[in-house]
Amino acid sequence: MKAHLTRRYMFSASHRLHSDDMSEAENTVTYGKCNNPYGHGHNYALEVTVSGPVDESTGMVCNLVDLDGFVQREILQRFDLENLNTREEFVRTVPTTENLCTTIYDILQRGFTYAHLDKVRIEETMMNSFEYVGENCVIQ
Ligand code: NI
């Protein structure tokens, strides 16, 4: 019996949307006010969905202690209260929330072994959110 588990985490970070591959004018046209040199912040809501068989002895897909520990160590400590543009992950990658989503997915995919990673979803504002399910996966 397979079940899905979604856990929600909050973190805050700042970013500036700017590509070194574009001119100043192109950056302004592409990113608008998000290109302002001083950046701006978001309170991100991160949702991680994992799945797997329900363990017969524990009754769980995976232990929340393991999931929380991994996300705390590998994601929140890395990005919470940081300027995303200064992080090594975004030296050559524009820290849009699309790219933040795929970056977090890749970190989880590489290291979280307690259950299958299904999806990473990030709410950037009340009005927009982004999801990533990996390259070889189809949302069912
Ligand atoms: Ni923004």
Side-chain angles (χ1 to χ4, degrees):
M1 181 177 60
K2 183 181 167 189
H4 299 256
L5 159 67
T6 299
R7 183 81 156 158
R8 190 174 172 94
Y9 305 91
M10 307 299 294
F11 67 96
S12 303
S14 64
H15 68 174
R16 179 195 185 202
L17 302 187
H18 181 90
S19 171
D20 292 335
D21 297 333
M22 291 187 225
S23 68
E24 291 297 327
E26 286 172 319
N27 269 292
T28 302
V29 168
T30 304
Y31 298 117
K33 63 182 182 180
C34 296
N35 183 241
N36 104 68
Y38 303 107
H40 61 275
H42 292 285
N43 295 316
Y44 295 101
L46 163 67
E47 287 180 1
V48 177
T49 302
V50 299
S51 67
V54 177
D55 185 277
E56 278 186 25
S57 57
T58 66
M60 298 190 292
V61 171
C62 86
N63 196 317
L64 281 181
V65 172
D66 295 326
L67 182 58
D68 287 356
F70 188 91
V71 171
Q72 181 65 40
R73 205 167 50 244
E74 298 294 333
I75 308 296
L76 303 183
Q77 281 185 18
R78 195 183 296 240
F79 297 128
D80 190 27
L81 303 179
E82 293 288 336
N83 174 350
L84 296 178
N85 296 74
T86 66
R87 291 287 325 180
E88 60 179 342
E89 293 83 359
F90 298 108
V91 167
R92 271 175 293 279
T93 304
V94 183
T96 60
T97 305
E98 291 91 325
N99 285 333
L100 183 59
C101 217
T102 58
T103 297
I104 289 175
Y105 182 97
D106 289 342
I107 294 167
L108 285 160
Q109 178 73 352
R110 280 199 304 270
F112 186 72
T113 55
Y114 297 96
H116 177 260
L117 177 64
D118 281 335
K119 183 168 79 175
V120 168
R121 176 173 178 273
I122 300 177
E123 287 177 17
E124 182 184 53
T125 70
M126 282 178 64
M127 305 304 284
N128 59 17
S129 65
F130 303 86
E131 297 183 3
Y132 186 61
V133 296
E135 289 293 339
N136 304 314
C137 218
V138 179
I139 296 182
Q140 294 177 351

